[in-house]
Every structure is written in structure tokens, then in C-alpha cells.
Amino acid sequence: MTTIRLQNTKTRKREDFVPIDPANVRMYLCGPTVYDRAHLGNSRNVLLFDVLFRLMRHVYGTDHVTYVRNITDVEDKINLRAAETGREIGDITAETIGWYHDDMDALGALRPTHEPRATDFIAQMVTMIADLIDKGHAYPAEGHVLFAVESYADYGKLSGRSIDDMIAGARVEVAPYKRNPMDFVLWKPSGDGQPGWDSPWGYGRPGWHIECSAMSQALLGESFDIHGGGVDLQFPHHENEIAQSCCANPEGDFARYWVHNEMLQVEGKKMSKSLGNFFTIRDLLDQGIPGEVIRFVMLGTHYGKTMDWTDKRRGEADATLRNWYGILHGHGFGPKLIAALQAEGQWDADPEFLGVLANDLNTPGALARLHVLSKGKTPAALARFAHGLDMLGLVADWSAIPMFDGGEAGPDVAPAIAAHVDALLADRAKARAAKDWTRADEVRDILNAAGVQVTDVGGQATWVPGPDFDASTLVDIYWQPFFESWCAKSR
């Protein structure tokens, strides 16, 4: 069985993943607060856990992995949006959930096993809060219930902070009813026009953090395998989840592995409305950028590193996928061919691809391996390439493999021109081996001028015609040696 390794935020080490129960691998991702369109950064943890979900199902079996991603449909941002627009809260959340599903579907993300809504688990939250009060970890005050941070000795271990540091570095809500500035809300009173439910502490609604603790316990148990989200949730949200859950269930482990993705930038800068570089997933889709291209760009950076969305990367992803999908179309890939490959035992993961991906979800390395696998000349030789695309979610429907505008594989390339590009790349490789950097640069400039996009992977170069590919340039270059030879003979 393939060994999966994950960078565990909890231990700050890359560890072999050992499930609590191999017959039921359980994972939880903090999902959206549904008041507006998801922006590009919101998709990063979804795509991370989608690849993890696919990998776990490959290793442990499709029916042996449970993936929960919650929906926060009661929160002050939603209340504010309702007050601003005059719309009903239920209408806003229903509409936004629909948007979210449409956008994530467009990115090829599988739906999770369970997608609980916070408003369906209020009773479980009230029960957990009452239990925390009984155990001395929470206290009611002026219609609120607060978690007593000092009652949990390990508070701050996930983020590596002391309580004093957290007080000094965080914006904490100062309130006279708090015993400690870091104590956080489990329940709060609801006023007119705000959603609320009856509870032992009055009419009110839950705090944000208690939602995930109650829902994960209800659907995954007191102990489960993996919890994740963006690194921005590490403190205070995930820190508070751990405190609540471990105090409510002292015999449980809550989550054994914590996986956090880094943040996103646009053209080297933090995405911000004030900088004019803020956009939603729908903005990109409406610009005609295929969801597969967005997904490819996002997977091109390891989740543990800051992701930089650039137009250059988008163009490269578009060109690569146009070429790859052209290969699939050209060799007749579809449900019938895949069924035949399965029957012959040829539809399986490439061991090197799988090993790279299983090493802390190294999606850039997995994509690099696909460049090599794409060089097969027959369907059987390309089976592992196609399987890898499937595992990375880059083909959502084998009966409708994407065909981007401009054709299956981009601009047509005459065989003579393609052969000349191959010869140029061989010339460049020879020059590099001889450390003839002048000649290597000359070849690079020729290819750049023609709009040929070159990818170097593991010492091998592959190429695709880019969006600005100009075959006439290469025609001139191709015929130039013959023209010079003819001129010399005519003198």
C-alpha cells in the first residue's frame, strides 16, 4: 500500500499518515461562510482537500473515506448583508450556497461526503456548550456563554503561541463580562431581526468556533484523522476548536493531523479590493478562463507555499492543457477506451506519479511527471498519463473531454515544423551539455520569437504551441538553411 506523508501542523513534522481506522478514513475541512461569492483564495483549501480526498480514495478505497466540509449559514456577516440589502437571510444563504457549488463544480472539485449546515446542528451545539459549563470550561455571563481559555492548559500549542503573546498580538473583543481577554464566545444573545434559537441562556445564536466542533463530532466522532483549512484559520479558529473539543471529550484526540495551506497573491501582491486585483472565481470563469486552467494554475504551487496567480501562469496552463487534451482526443480517450484499458489491467496510477503526489501532496511534482507520461505514442502507453489527469481532477467527465477555443491542441503544427522544433530542442540540449550558453540562448530566443512554450522536466524538454504561436516564423527559420545552401551553389 502507498504510504502517504503529510506535513502535520500539530507536530510541525512531515509524518507518515496512519489512519485510526483504515476502513473509514475521516477528514474535515472548514467550509464557506455563505454571504457572497467565493474569491479565488477561497478555492485553494477546497482544491487541496479535493486532491487529498482523491488520493485517500485511491489508496484506501472509494467507500472507505468520509469527507466533511461544513457550511456556516449563521454568522454576523450574513446578518449584515441581510440588513444592507433588505433580503431574507434564508434567501441570501440559499443563493450563495448555489453559487458556491456551481463555482467549485467548475473547478472540478468533488462534492464532499457530507456538507452540514450550521443551522441544522444547533441542538448539538447547545448540548456541547452545556457540557463545557458542567465541566468548568465555560461560563454564562449577561446572556453570553464564554469558553474559559485558562481552563485548557494546551491552548496555543497548534499555533505555537502563549496566551500573553496572543493577547498582545491579536485584536480581542474587550467586554466587561469576560474573565480573561482571550475567552471567546460560544453563545450570544440575538436581537430583533437576527436569527436565534431558544437555549438555557436565553434566545440567541452560536459563536463561530463551536459550529465546527459540534458538526465534526456528530459526523466523524470524538477522534478523526485530518482537519484542515487556510493558514489564516490556524489562530484563533482552529485553536479554539481544539480547546472546545478536547475539553468536551477529554478521552478523544479530536484531529490527529492538521493540514494548512498558505495564502494567495495576484501578480506578486496580496489580493485586495483597494489594489484592484481582487476577483472571484466567477469573475475568472466569466472572462472565459476554463475551470481546468484555474485548477492547473492552483495545483502548480505546493499548498505549503504562497501561491501567486499571474497571467503568465494562466497562459502556460492554458497551453499545456490544450496540448494534453489534444493528445487525449487524438488517441480516442473516452469511457469505452478507459473501460477497455481497465479490462486489460492497464488503467492504474504510475508508481512515480503516485509516490510524488503521496509525499505531502506534491502537486507540482505530479504535474511534472505528467509532462513525461504525455509522451506515450499509443493509448496503452498513455493510460497512466490519463489516469494521472483523472487523479488530479483535470478531467471531470471522460465523455466530454474539454476542447478549448482554438482547437483540441492549439494551432496546427505541420510535421516539418514540429520536427524542426524538436531538432532545435535537441540542439539546445547539446549546447547546454557542452556549456555553450551562447548557442543555448540563441535557440531559446528563436523558440520564444515563434511563441513556442518549452517546459523542462527532469532533464527532458517538452513543448507546446503557445497562444502567440507563429508558424510562419518557424517556416522562415526552417527554410533558411536550404536557401543559404542554394545561394552558395549559385554563386
Side-chain angles (χ1 to χ4, degrees):
M1 179 178 287
T2 301
T3 298
I4 298 172
R5 291 178 59 79
L6 296 172
Q7 181 68 30
N8 189 354
T9 308
K10 185 177 181 179
T11 61
R12 293 167 180 77
K13 295 178 181 178
R14 187 169 296 185
E15 301 175 348
D16 290 353
F17 172 71
V18 180
I20 298 170
D21 177 5
N24 185 19
V25 178
R26 287 161 285 170
M27 44 193 278
Y28 186 96
L29 175 66
C30 288
T33 299
V34 286
Y35 68 98
D36 205 349
R37 288 277 190 185
H39 61 71
L40 183 61
N42 296 142
S43 71
R44 197 169 191 203
N45 57 26
V46 174
L47 295 180
L48 163 64
F49 263 64
D50 185 61
V51 173
L52 180 59
F53 187 33
R54 293 168 184 270
L55 177 62
M56 290 293 181
R57 298 205 315 173
H58 177 82
V59 173
Y60 293 97
T62 301
D63 298 328
H64 300 295
V65 184
T66 302
Y67 170 26
V68 176
R69 184 181 68 212
N70 74 293
I71 290 176
T72 296
D73 59 349
V74 53
E75 208 265 349
D76 288 346
K77 291 178 181 177
I78 303 172
N79 301 342
L80 179 61
R81 182 57 53 89
E84 291 174 344
T85 61
R87 299 181 62 195
E88 294 293 328
I89 288 175
D91 292 341
I92 292 173
T93 57
E95 178 182 60
T96 308
I97 290 169
W99 289 344
Y100 186 80
H101 284 155
D102 289 345
D103 292 347
M104 297 309 156
D105 289 350
L107 300 186
L110 300 174
R111 296 287 180 93
T113 316
H114 303 288
E115 198 171 38
R117 302 186 186 189
T119 52
D120 291 333
F121 286 79
I122 299 296
Q124 290 88 336
M125 296 177 207
V126 169
T127 297
M128 180 174 280
I129 293 170
D131 182 53
L132 288 169
I133 293 173
D134 290 343
K135 291 176 178 175
H137 295 292
Y139 58 94
E142 299 184 19
H144 296 74
V145 179
L146 296 111
F147 184 87
V149 167
E150 290 182 336
S151 72
Y152 181 57
D154 287 339
Y155 190 81
K157 281 196 172 182
L158 180 70
S159 56
R161 311 182 189 190
S162 69
I163 291 180
D164 289 342
D165 289 340
M166 287 184 275
I167 292 175
R171 290 177 292 179
V172 296
E173 181 184 352
V174 178
Y177 48 78
K178 283 189 175 185
R179 296 177 184 173
N180 183 300
M182 289 304 299
D183 292 350
F184 57 88
V185 173
L186 302 175
W187 189 265
K188 53 189 171 184
S190 292
D192 293 339
Q194 294 179 325
W197 293 261
D198 291 326
S199 80
W201 318 287
Y203 185 74
R205 60 196 190 279
W208 174 36
H209 311 299
I210 195 66
E211 295 177 10
C212 289
S213 288
M215 288 187 279
S216 63
Q217 179 178 322
L219 295 170
L220 299 177
E222 297 178 1
S223 301
F224 57 94
D225 296 297
I226 302 170
H227 196 318
V231 70
D232 56 321
L233 296 185
Q234 186 175 329
F235 175 82
H237 184 52
H238 289 162
E239 202 75 75
N240 292 351
E241 276 190 70
I242 292 172
Q244 296 163 164
S245 298
C246 289
C247 288
N249 305 293
E251 303 303 319
D253 292 329
F254 191 42
R256 287 191 172 185
Y257 300 83
W258 285 83
V259 179
H260 289 95
N261 61 276
E262 274 293 343
M263 306 306 287
L264 175 135
Q265 295 180 335
V266 175
E267 300 290 351
K269 297 180 180 179
K270 182 178 179 180
M271 190 165 68
S272 168
K273 291 181 179 179
S274 63
L275 294 176
N277 65 351
F278 179 94
F279 43 79
T280 67
I281 297 166
R282 181 52 49 182
D283 290 335
L284 295 177
L285 295 171
D286 288 346
Q287 291 172 21
I289 301 175
E292 295 86 356
V293 170
I294 299 172
R295 184 182 183 101
F296 188 103
V297 175
M298 299 296 279
L299 298 185
T301 300
H302 187 267
Y303 76 88
K305 296 181 179 179
T306 299
M307 160 72 208
D308 190 14
W309 174 276
T310 67
D311 191 60
K312 180 176 183 291
R313 288 182 174 179
R314 179 209 55 76
E316 292 171 348
D318 185 282
T320 297
L321 286 175
R322 182 177 286 124
N323 179 55
W324 284 358
Y325 293 150
I327 291 170
L328 296 176
H329 282 288
H331 287 84
F333 273 86
K336 289 185 179 180
L337 176 56
I338 291 173
L341 292 169
Q342 289 173 332
E344 296 171 2
Q346 295 177 321
W347 184 255
D348 199 2
D350 171 67
E352 186 172 337
F353 169 90
L354 187 60
V356 170
L357 186 62
N359 187 16
D360 197 29
L361 302 178
N362 182 2
T363 52
L367 290 172
R369 179 60 182 167
L370 290 184
H371 278 283
V372 176
L373 295 174
S374 70
K375 297 306 169 185
K377 301 301 182 183
T378 65
L382 288 164
R384 288 180 170 177
F385 164 67
H387 190 280
L389 287 171
D390 189 76
M391 279 198 68
L392 290 183
L394 290 168
V395 177
D397 182 357
W398 284 98
S399 64
I401 300 170
M403 291 178 62
F404 294 168
D405 291 341
E408 297 173 2
D412 291 335
V413 181
I417 296 298
H420 191 58
V421 173
D422 290 337
L424 284 169
L425 288 177
D427 187 13
R428 187 186 69 146
K430 183 178 179 180
R432 283 181 165 186
K435 297 185 178 181
D436 183 354
W437 307 120
T438 299
R439 177 55 184 162
D441 289 345
E442 288 175 353
V443 175
R444 178 201 62 200
D445 292 342
I446 291 170
L447 295 172
N448 286 344
V452 176
Q453 294 186 343
V454 179
T455 301
D456 291 294
V457 179
Q460 294 184 341
T462 61
W463 67 275
V464 295
D468 300 323
F469 179 72
D470 184 359
S472 64
T473 301
L474 283 172
V475 168
D476 292 341
I477 296 170
Y478 179 73
W479 286 108
Q480 186 66 26
F482 298 94
F483 178 74
E484 291 176 352
S485 175
W486 179 82
C487 288
K489 292 178 180 177
S490 300
R491 292 190 185 105

